[in-house]
Amino acid sequence: MGHVDRHPWEPRYATRALRMQASEIRELLKLIEEPDVISFAGGIPDPTLFPIETVREAYRTALDDDAGAGRLLQYSVSEGDPALRDWIARHMAAKGIACDADNILVTSGSQQGLEFLGKLFLSPGDTALAMAPTYLGALQAFAANEPVYDELGLGPTNRTLDSYRDAAAATDGQVKFAYVVPDFANPTGITLDLPARLQLLATARDLEIPVIEDAAYTELRFEGEAAPPVQAMDVAARGTINQSRVIYCGTFSKVFMPGLRIGWICASHEIVQRLVLIKQASDLNSSALNQSVARHLAETCFDAQVARGRASYRVKRDRMLDALANHMPESVSWTVPQGGLFIWMTLPDHLDATDLLARAVAEARVAFVPGQAFFANGAGRNTLRLSYSLPDLERIDDGIARLARVMQAL
Amino acid sequence: MGHVDRHPWEPRYATRALRMQASEIRELLKLIEEPDVISFAGGIPDPTLFPIETVREAYRTALDDDAGAGRLLQYSVSEGDPALRDWIARHMAAKGIACDADNILVTSGSQQGLEFLGKLFLSPGDTALAMAPTYLGALQAFAANEPVYDELGLGPTNRTLDSYRDAAAATDGQVKFAYVVPDFANPTGITLDLPARLQLLATARDLEIPVIEDAAYTELRFEGEAAPPVQAMDVAARGTINQSRVIYCGTFSKVFMPGLRIGWICASHEIVQRLVLIKQASDLNSSALNQSVARHLAETCFDAQVARGRASYRVKRDRMLDALANHMPESVSWTVPQGGLFIWMTLPDHLDATDLLARAVAEARVAFVPGQAFFANGAGRNTLRLSYSLPDLERIDDGIARLARVMQAL
């Protein structure tokens, strides 16, 4: 070849690789390591809530006899541990989604579930419908398939079916699915009400597309009455999960802890069978040992962990809302979530949240995620996401006061 | 919609999804569960070799104090645990591949590494060069990107550079990489000698493509002198890993156990940086707890486990070779591997190994993998793969005798 420059492989990369960019969230995670930074950035569960003693007991029990340990440390089936899938199926049934283990695929966190669904549905140029803003990790998971995003209109909207179809055809693709985080959405904290869920299902039915329901935060409701899962509404209408257009992505990361890397997809048997092939090709199987520990936790302390998380994060949300009311200038507004981990803030139009972040970290040692990262089209420069899940109450108070001082100095 | 048939989503699937098929290896794994079947099918490590007591100790230690456990059960950096990456970098350096932690990405098994490399390089219609036969899991990992395969000619070959380029252009793509399992290949058990490695590097240099070196079995050498890793040869020629065209995929699955799901990629910093983005989008990170256990094992018993695996699998290989010599008809031939887990068998031209498998399971309760699965082009109907790693010596003897009886009855 003779010549070698800094990026010798650029001509050999797939076109998708050139579209994948570093995640601000992941980069910001590094800030958490610096103890003087108060981080409202990542949606990081509070480790003081992790059921560590139960985790110790679960690993001890799982590894107790040699034959059992040998099985859990071996290759295992791609669809996941049957006993864990049984537990998840019962958990889903209790939500009004009657199903069995054949409707469940175990994934390495719900992030992997989203990545698999992108692979299953999206060819380059196809359209994914999503709220704007929406979960950055979903945009990243889908990006490898080079899709186009169109804004899903729920509530009063002038979007017609033809406007969705025409926009998709303009990039030589079809509308392939609608993606939503219906409960306490990442990043906005907003929950879809019942009319919005009905509108979502009607739109999906008319466009003949599946709906991906990302339920990462669903268990963490502090107050108010829960609307049924979108999947439960569709199963009720269709009569069976196997005729449902809704694909539910669940995770143990927020109720137990992220480190096990165990989530799941609940969907029609036909779709699960397709996803099992994708799982095989992607990483063969998730750790059987970690699946066994997840099952132990699910069987012994799921409800207790949900109650613990709700109580703790509710107090933290209240503290952040109080601090915002006390410290923020009147030109700033924010959402009031009924659960989950996030508050969404809107700054005056002329402010740029990325500039604000640079100053906030440098001058006040406080961090958040600029909202623009959550918009596929680069909108939202004057928005930002605050997470109250990780810092303690004192640091929530202190961090919001610091952030308000930086904003007032602008 | 009105109509719903058995596969309502077929029109919505990505084109790649329709190309992904069930793995015979994975399906055959189910046979292992039936105790009367002697399985030579999966390349399954022997669980009696797993260092289970050290695993127990590693989990106990990792979870010992609450703060440390909290960190290992939290989200963690996508590139992997820095201390594990340091160990891997030293391990690679000892093989003649000087590198540091920035050249290492931790993956969920080497299967995930292969999947990421397909994503990084292959656009639909692009060509991957591979031996025929080659590792079925690699063909599956790459399949999501809809590539074309062309046979990599090593040894005496009439392939010219133009013949590779012209074939790739005929499907509107480019040659993107060469994939090899240089040591005790899956499925053939064959090792590339030094001239073949030099020829591989020269071909890759002239085609200006990277080489993917899948080193899954490299540690398990029973006898003979090892050729240097292809990556070590290239690093020596180029002066630094950061100018090397070789991408090395390693795994702890064969030396320790598969259940941790921990492997790695060693490559130039530029390529690792790209792969970190793919890891972020795919599953955020591999379990920090399992990475910590892998590091504990690496630091305390890597060499002992390598010695243990070599000794045990060597005896099993010898027993299978003896049994083949004793029982098989003269019309059958097989490879003699110097390491690894596999023997490759060639039947007379008129026999079909898939038919043989059906009869062998039904009539003699013995299983293997038909060789056709390992050919991208459907060749090799009269070939099959035998793995000696899982059954004990008596069952190896008995299983080969049973298989020979089925063959003699054909």
Side-chain angles (χ1 to χ4, degrees):
Chain A
M1 338 206 327
H3 65 282
V4 176
D5 58 26
R6 266 193 71 238
H7 299 290
W9 299 117
E10 191 107 356
R12 294 290 172 266
Y13 290 141
T15 54
R16 79 176 63 79
L18 304 173
R19 291 170 47 131
M20 301 182 76
Q21 292 176 0
S23 150
E24 287 189 69
I25 290 185
R26 289 280 119 194
E27 295 305 310
L28 286 167
L29 269 179
K30 294 173 185 169
L31 294 176
I32 295 172
E33 303 297 319
E34 298 175 31
D36 71 321
V37 171
I38 298 178
S39 177
F40 303 131
I44 312 291
D46 181 350
T48 67
L49 300 174
F50 295 171
I52 291 175
E53 190 50 45
T54 315
V55 171
R56 286 187 188 115
E57 178 190 302
Y59 277 104
R60 209 161 46 222
T61 307
L63 296 170
D64 192 39
D65 74 294
D66 285 2
R71 272 193 302 277
L72 294 175
L73 295 168
Q74 188 57 280
Y75 289 114
S76 58
V77 291
S78 299
E79 44 268 62
D81 172 50
L84 176 62
R85 289 160 65 223
D86 276 339
W87 186 92
I88 294 168
R90 290 194 302 275
H91 172 72
M92 297 304 294
K95 294 179 182 298
I97 299 157
C99 64
D100 59 35
D102 284 346
N103 299 110
I104 308 295
L105 171 75
V106 174
T107 57
S108 295
S110 60
Q111 183 71 21
Q112 188 178 55
L114 298 176
E115 205 271 335
F116 288 177
L117 291 167
K119 251 184 196 158
L120 180 60
F121 291 110
L122 296 171
S123 288
D126 278 342
T127 290
L129 302 184
M131 313 289 278
T134 193
Y135 172 47
L136 170 59
L139 298 177
Q140 293 177 322
F142 303 149
N145 310 298
E146 303 175 80
V148 174
Y149 295 99
D150 197 357
E151 186 174 349
L152 176 64
L154 295 179
T157 171
N158 60 359
R159 294 304 301 262
T160 62
L161 296 180
D162 278 346
S163 79
Y164 288 122
R165 290 194 190 108
D166 292 350
T171 56
D172 292 325
Q174 305 170 43
V175 182
K176 284 299 185 70
F177 58 71
Y179 166 77
V180 291
V181 190
D183 302 305
F184 330 121
N186 185 348
T188 61
I190 291 173
T191 296
L192 294 183
D193 60 16
L194 195 62
R197 288 169 198 238
L198 288 166
Q199 188 183 5
L200 167 63
L201 283 171
T203 302
R205 183 194 64 222
D206 293 343
L207 288 170
E208 301 184 50
I209 54 171
V211 171
I212 300 174
E213 178 173 26
D214 180 345
Y217 312 99
T218 299
E219 303 296 339
L220 298 176
R221 173 173 285 281
F222 311 146
E223 65 207 12
E225 199 180 337
V230 180
Q231 192 174 52
M233 295 167 65
D234 194 48
V235 168
R238 313 281 290 185
T240 160
I241 179 82
N242 289 324
Q243 297 295 344
S244 175
R245 67 178 64 257
V246 183
I247 303 165
Y248 185 104
C249 296
T251 177
F252 290 120
S253 291
K254 307 304 187 285
V255 169
F256 297 140
M257 69 275 295
L260 293 178
R261 309 307 301 128
I262 302 293
W264 69 89
I265 290 174
C266 176
S268 72
H269 189 206
E270 147 74 8
I271 283 176
V272 168
Q273 281 179 309
R274 293 268 174 191
L275 292 170
V276 170
L277 301 183
I278 291 176
K279 176 75 177 168
Q280 282 177 3
S282 296
D283 62 3
L284 301 181
N285 60 267
S286 292
S287 162
L289 177 59
N290 289 8
Q291 290 184 66
S292 154
V293 169
R295 180 168 60 88
H296 184 111
L297 294 171
E299 286 172 353
T300 56
C301 65
F302 187 87
D303 291 343
Q305 279 297 120
V306 168
R308 206 174 164 195
R310 284 177 177 172
S312 172
Y313 293 134
R314 178 187 180 140
V315 172
K316 289 187 169 189
R317 177 207 59 172
D318 289 344
R319 182 63 69 103
M320 186 174 275
L321 289 173
D322 286 349
L324 290 168
N326 290 339
H327 299 295
M328 281 292 154
E330 284 199 3
S331 58
V332 169
S333 64
W334 54 87
T335 58
V336 177
Q338 290 190 303
L341 310 180
F342 305 111
I343 289 171
W344 183 249
M345 178 176 279
T346 305
L347 306 174
D349 280 347
H350 68 280
L351 291 186
D352 182 311
T354 305
D355 295 343
L356 178 64
L357 175 64
R359 295 189 61 163
V361 171
E363 297 170 15
R365 307 303 280 163
V366 60
F368 55 81
V369 183
Q372 203 172 6
F374 302 94
F375 287 86
N377 64 1
R381 289 182 62 216
N382 64 323
T383 60
L384 60 91
R385 191 191 73 179
L386 297 168
S387 171
Y388 43 78
S389 53
L390 191 60
D392 63 25
L393 297 174
E394 203 173 327
R395 283 164 73 90
I396 289 173
D397 229 18
D398 187 20
I400 294 297
R402 291 191 201 181
L403 182 58
R405 279 198 296 276
V406 177
M407 287 167 60
Q408 273 148 351
L410 285 177
Chain B
M1 326 199 349
H3 66 283
V4 175
D5 58 26
R6 265 193 71 239
H7 300 289
W9 299 117
E10 191 109 357
R12 293 291 172 265
Y13 290 140
T15 54
R16 79 178 65 80
L18 304 173
R19 291 171 46 133
M20 301 183 76
Q21 293 176 357
S23 151
E24 289 191 68
I25 290 185
R26 290 279 118 192
E27 294 306 310
L28 286 167
L29 269 180
K30 294 173 186 170
L31 294 175
I32 294 173
E33 303 296 319
E34 298 175 32
D36 69 321
V37 171
I38 298 178
S39 177
F40 303 133
I44 312 290
D46 181 351
T48 68
L49 300 175
F50 296 170
I52 290 175
E53 191 47 47
T54 315
V55 172
R56 286 186 189 117
E57 180 190 302
Y59 277 103
R60 210 160 45 221
T61 307
L63 296 170
D64 192 38
D65 74 294
D66 285 3
R71 272 193 300 278
L72 294 175
L73 295 168
Q74 188 57 279
Y75 289 114
S76 58
V77 291
S78 299
E79 44 269 61
D81 172 50
L84 176 61
R85 290 159 66 223
D86 277 338
W87 186 91
I88 294 168
R90 291 194 301 274
H91 172 72
M92 297 303 296
K95 295 179 182 297
I97 299 156
C99 64
D100 59 36
D102 284 346
N103 299 110
I104 308 295
L105 172 75
V106 174
T107 57
S108 295
S110 60
Q111 182 72 22
Q112 188 178 57
L114 298 176
E115 205 270 336
F116 287 176
L117 292 166
K119 251 185 198 158
L120 181 60
F121 290 112
L122 296 171
S123 288
D126 278 342
T127 290
L129 302 183
M131 313 289 278
T134 193
Y135 171 48
L136 170 59
L139 298 177
Q140 293 177 322
F142 302 150
N145 310 297
E146 303 174 80
V148 174
Y149 295 99
D150 196 359
E151 186 173 349
L152 176 64
L154 296 178
T157 171
N158 60 0
R159 294 302 302 261
T160 61
L161 296 180
D162 279 346
S163 80
Y164 289 121
R165 289 193 191 112
D166 292 351
T171 55
D172 292 325
Q174 305 170 42
V175 182
K176 283 300 184 70
F177 59 71
Y179 167 77
V180 292
V181 190
D183 301 306
F184 331 121
N186 184 350
T188 62
I190 290 173
T191 296
L192 294 183
D193 60 15
L194 195 60
R197 288 170 198 239
L198 288 166
Q199 187 183 4
L200 168 63
L201 282 171
T203 302
R205 183 195 61 222
D206 292 345
L207 289 171
E208 300 183 50
I209 55 171
V211 171
I212 299 174
E213 177 173 27
D214 181 345
Y217 312 100
T218 299
E219 303 295 339
L220 298 176
R221 173 173 288 280
F222 311 146
E223 64 207 13
E225 199 179 338
V230 179
Q231 191 174 53
M233 295 167 65
D234 194 48
V235 169
R238 313 280 292 184
T240 160
I241 179 79
N242 290 325
Q243 297 296 344
S244 175
R245 69 178 62 256
V246 183
I247 303 165
Y248 184 105
C249 296
T251 179
F252 291 120
S253 292
K254 309 304 187 283
V255 170
F256 296 139
M257 69 274 296
L260 293 178
R261 309 307 302 127
I262 302 293
W264 69 89
I265 290 174
C266 177
S268 71
H269 189 206
E270 147 75 7
I271 283 175
V272 168
Q273 282 180 307
R274 294 267 176 192
L275 292 170
V276 170
L277 300 184
I278 291 176
K279 176 76 178 168
Q280 282 177 4
S282 295
D283 62 4
L284 300 182
N285 59 266
S286 292
S287 163
L289 177 58
N290 289 8
Q291 291 184 65
S292 154
V293 169
R295 179 168 60 87
H296 184 111
L297 294 170
E299 286 172 354
T300 56
C301 66
F302 188 88
D303 291 343
Q305 279 297 118
V306 167
R308 205 173 165 197
R310 285 178 177 171
S312 172
Y313 294 134
R314 178 187 179 139
V315 172
K316 289 185 170 190
R317 177 208 59 174
D318 289 345
R319 183 63 70 100
M320 186 173 275
L321 290 172
D322 286 349
L324 290 168
N326 290 339
H327 299 295
M328 282 291 154
E330 284 199 5
S331 57
V332 169
S333 64
W334 54 87
T335 58
V336 178
Q338 290 191 304
L341 310 180
F342 304 111
I343 289 172
W344 181 249
M345 178 175 280
T346 304
L347 306 173
D349 280 348
H350 67 281
L351 290 186
D352 181 312
T354 304
D355 295 344
L356 178 64
L357 175 63
R359 295 191 59 163
V361 172
E363 297 170 15
R365 307 301 283 162
V366 59
F368 54 83
V369 183
Q372 203 172 5
F374 302 95
F375 287 86
N377 64 2
R381 290 182 61 217
N382 64 323
T383 60
L384 59 90
R385 191 192 74 178
L386 297 168
S387 172
Y388 43 78
S389 52
L390 190 60
D392 63 25
L393 296 174
E394 204 173 326
R395 283 165 74 89
I396 288 173
D397 229 19
D398 187 20
I400 294 297
R402 291 190 201 182
L403 182 59
R405 279 198 296 277
V406 177
M407 287 166 60
Q408 274 148 350
L410 286 177

